[in-house]
Amino acid sequence: MNQSAQHGLPLDPLPGDMRGMAEVVTEYLVQFFCSLAERPVNGLPAKREAARRLRATPSEQGRDFASLFGEVREAIEHSYEYCSPGYLAYIPGGGLFTSALADFLAQGVNRYVGVSALSPAMVQIEENVLRWMASLFDFPAGARGILTTGGSLANFSAVATARHARLGEDFEDGTFYTTDQVHACVTKSARLAGLPHRAARMVPTDREWRMDVGALRDMVRADRAAGRRPFLVVASAGTTNTGAVDPLAGIGQVAVEEGLWLHVDAAYGGFFQLTARGRQRLAGIERADSITLDPHKGLFLPYGLGALLVRDGRALRAAHHEAADYLQDLGVAEELPHYNEYSPELSRDARGLRVWMPLVLHGVAAFRAALDEKLDLTDVLDAALREDARLELPWRPQLTVVPFRLAGGDDDANRRFLERINAARRIFCSSTLLDGRFTLRACLVVHRTHRDLIDAAIEIIRAAARE
Ligand SMILES: *Cc1c(COP(=O)(O)O)cnc(C)c1O
């Protein structure tokens, strides 16, 4: 090998180079976090052009860090600023420095947590996180959980587990129940879990987009009488559209009576359980057989983190475990689980630390207070918009989504209304269809969103409604 032809950074850089690069990144991140409130919420314009400029293939000989970092920076700045206090679109995620730091460390030492034998103490840290989450919902000691990359994969494992536990190998005639407000990843999960399209039963909702419990019972009984096998009901604890919370206690009752697995998709709403109001609104969730959570929403962590909790940990394992001869040296998991037996994944990142480090450093109370503040601010925003006769707010927020539209305005008028709101570049809202009508929504989840921002948002929305 001709060494002189090689100019790139060695695969293991020299100590000074490691430090130098890490310092540049650290300094950039510090500036980033400190400037979030001032950064335009929709980022720099010409995002597609920036993307095109960055088209490239890696060279044989490598390049210097500074020029690469300049490009990465450009990519970052040409993005919507989901971490900004004014980002009220979809379900935002805040991002935490302490979580990024945990990832840097965990990826740096490259610890393996797919099985518990290689790095049991790192697995213990992940277990601490999962046990803490399970305790929020009063799940019993036999409960087990997994950290996934997001709510979608948590829902997938939940549906696969329910199918395996309740239907066994032959599940062609199985049926499950949810509403048309459920997140699309739930029906997608069912498809990926091998269930035919006809297995999905859409239960009607009430005026506030919550599942009609009586209709659920009737549909289950009718299906059973017709020879089908109802096995699962998926309730939402905070829908993405309107933040609606299905009547969990009533649904839980039907689930018990009818022998259905109750899965609660709490990807958006679940961590409001940390607050007194949230506990009230999610009452009944503790009866679930499984719960999906998204720490990258309700705990403000960076993207790439969902969680699934399952009341009967044996059911989760039964659905996912597959013996492998090449893993025989690892032994039987006793105190600590081999996560690969509970999830579709084997090798993966040590994602427990990115939750544990923020929880321990900031304390649980910091998360509770931030979520409580979002509930307060939702009331402030809802009340102020309600006062404006030009606006129509057909539903009271059940968590932190405020749906609104121009009173008497058609879809086009509301689409332009949304454009005017976002044109100010201080806040960013999104839209959805409700009863087939274009409806705007503001969703408050970013922990950096405080009263000053909401006051500004009220001004912006009212001014846009006047135009
Ligand atoms: C975000 C969300 C999901 C999907 O989770 P991802 O983390 O985006 O995969 C599922 N259900 C609800 C209610 C959500 O808000």
Side-chain angles (χ1 to χ4, degrees):
M1 167 103 208
N2 180 356
Q3 286 293 329
S4 64
Q6 201 186 324
H7 299 297
L9 194 66
L11 290 178
D12 283 316
L14 294 170
D17 286 337
M18 286 195 270
R19 261 185 219 110
M21 290 187 287
E23 267 162 28
V24 170
V25 172
T26 306
E27 191 48 38
Y28 179 79
L29 278 182
V30 172
Q31 296 291 337
F32 172 83
F33 281 105
C34 293
S35 65
L36 271 172
E38 287 87 53
R39 297 163 77 93
V41 72
N42 44 0
L44 294 180
K47 296 180 182 59
R48 305 244 170 231
E49 288 79 351
R52 267 178 232 125
R53 274 199 303 282
L54 290 179
R55 264 184 210 156
T57 49
S59 65
E60 275 296 320
Q61 60 275 47
R63 260 176 62 192
D64 70 297
F65 177 74
S67 80
L68 173 62
F69 188 70
E71 290 180 4
V72 174
R73 226 179 129 126
E74 193 181 346
I76 295 168
E77 318 270 316
H78 285 88
S79 310
Y80 284 87
E81 200 47 85
Y82 339 100
C83 313
S84 133
Y87 197 84
L88 308 173
Y90 315 105
I91 312 275
L96 293 178
F97 176 79
T98 49
S99 194
L101 192 67
D103 264 357
F104 184 34
L105 184 58
Q107 306 297 334
V109 295
N110 197 23
R111 287 295 172 262
Y112 198 91
V113 293
V115 295
S116 61
L118 298 177
S119 188
M122 291 298 280
V123 171
Q124 182 63 58
I125 286 175
E126 194 158 322
E127 265 309 273
N128 292 349
V129 166
L130 288 161
R131 290 282 152 208
W132 171 73
M133 288 181 189
S135 74
L136 294 178
F137 301 94
D138 305 322
F139 267 28
R144 284 275 179 212
I146 48 169
L147 293 182
T148 66
T149 51
S152 299
L153 283 184
N155 281 332
F156 171 66
S157 270
V159 172
T161 302
R163 192 209 70 201
H164 188 269
R166 296 295 159 95
L167 298 177
E169 297 269 296
D170 298 307
F171 47 81
E172 279 262 296
D173 49 359
T175 50
F176 72 95
Y177 303 80
T178 189
T179 75
D180 66 358
Q181 296 297 301
V182 81
H183 195 281
C185 72
V186 169
T187 38
K188 178 159 87 175
S189 293
R191 193 145 50 88
L192 293 175
L195 290 157
H197 186 68
R198 63 172 185 276
R201 293 285 195 270
M202 294 299 161
V203 182
T205 51
D206 65 12
R207 283 207 63 260
E208 307 216 327
W209 307 103
R210 294 173 299 209
M211 188 183 287
D212 178 336
V213 178
L216 166 67
R217 187 182 281 113
D218 293 346
M219 288 169 74
V220 169
R221 290 185 179 166
D223 278 336
R224 186 166 289 124
R228 301 193 186 89
R229 290 200 293 156
F231 75 101
L232 163 70
V233 54
V234 181
S236 301
T239 61
T240 311
N241 259 347
T242 65
V245 180
D246 284 327
L248 302 174
I251 294 169
Q253 190 58 37
V254 174
V256 169
E257 287 165 18
E258 302 293 333
L260 306 179
W261 181 285
L262 170 59
H263 176 65
V264 179
D265 180 4
Y268 151 56
F271 286 107
F272 286 99
Q273 182 80 352
L274 282 167
T275 69
R277 278 173 289 182
R279 257 183 188 268
Q280 229 167 29
R281 294 176 201 178
L282 303 187
I285 194 170
E286 66 287 347
R287 298 174 72 162
D289 292 293
S290 52
I291 300 174
T292 285
L293 299 167
D294 249 349
H296 63 205
K297 291 173 181 162
L299 287 184
F300 327 120
L301 300 185
Y303 290 117
L305 206 69
L308 173 66
L309 306 173
V310 178
R311 168 180 304 280
D312 179 359
R314 291 166 308 182
L316 181 62
R317 186 171 184 275
H320 290 86
H321 180 46
E322 198 73 37
D325 298 339
Y326 44 81
L327 298 180
Q328 65 182 1
D329 307 338
L330 296 169
V332 181
E334 282 162 7
E335 219 173 312
L336 288 167
H338 291 330
Y339 287 129
N340 77 309
E341 297 178 357
Y342 293 83
S343 110
E345 295 177 281
L346 174 56
S347 304
R348 61 178 178 83
D349 50 332
R351 40 185 90 117
L353 195 62
R354 55 151 64 181
V355 197
W356 189 239
M357 195 180 272
L359 278 177
V360 170
L361 289 177
H362 308 297
V364 175
F367 294 88
R368 178 177 299 113
L371 289 168
D372 248 331
E373 184 193 22
K374 299 299 104 51
L375 290 167
D376 289 340
L377 293 176
T378 301
D379 289 344
V380 171
L381 180 62
D382 179 65
L385 298 186
R386 230 162 245 287
E387 262 176 30
D388 194 320
R390 279 173 290 251
L391 297 173
E392 176 183 293
L393 282 82
W395 308 283
R396 289 256 171 218
Q398 294 173 42
L399 289 170
T400 59
V401 178
V402 182
F404 60 98
R405 54 195 176 212
L406 286 173
D410 62 10
D411 285 2
D412 268 346
N414 275 297
R415 197 170 287 119
R416 288 194 303 272
F417 179 38
L418 176 62
E419 281 166 12
R420 287 197 297 276
I421 291 170
N422 291 344
R425 306 184 80 201
R426 180 91 199 274
I427 63 169
F428 192 77
C429 294
S430 61
S431 70
T432 187
L433 292 177
L434 290 166
D435 281 336
R437 291 178 63 190
F438 190 96
T439 306
L440 289 72
R441 54 191 284 298
C443 177
L444 285 63
V445 182
V446 176
H447 61 284
R448 302 182 180 96
T449 305
H450 302 304
R451 180 67 192 247
D452 57 338
L453 186 284
I454 292 303
D455 286 342
I458 292 165
E459 281 306 305
I460 291 166
I461 294 170
R462 285 179 146 180
R466 274 197 299 276
E467 272 176 44

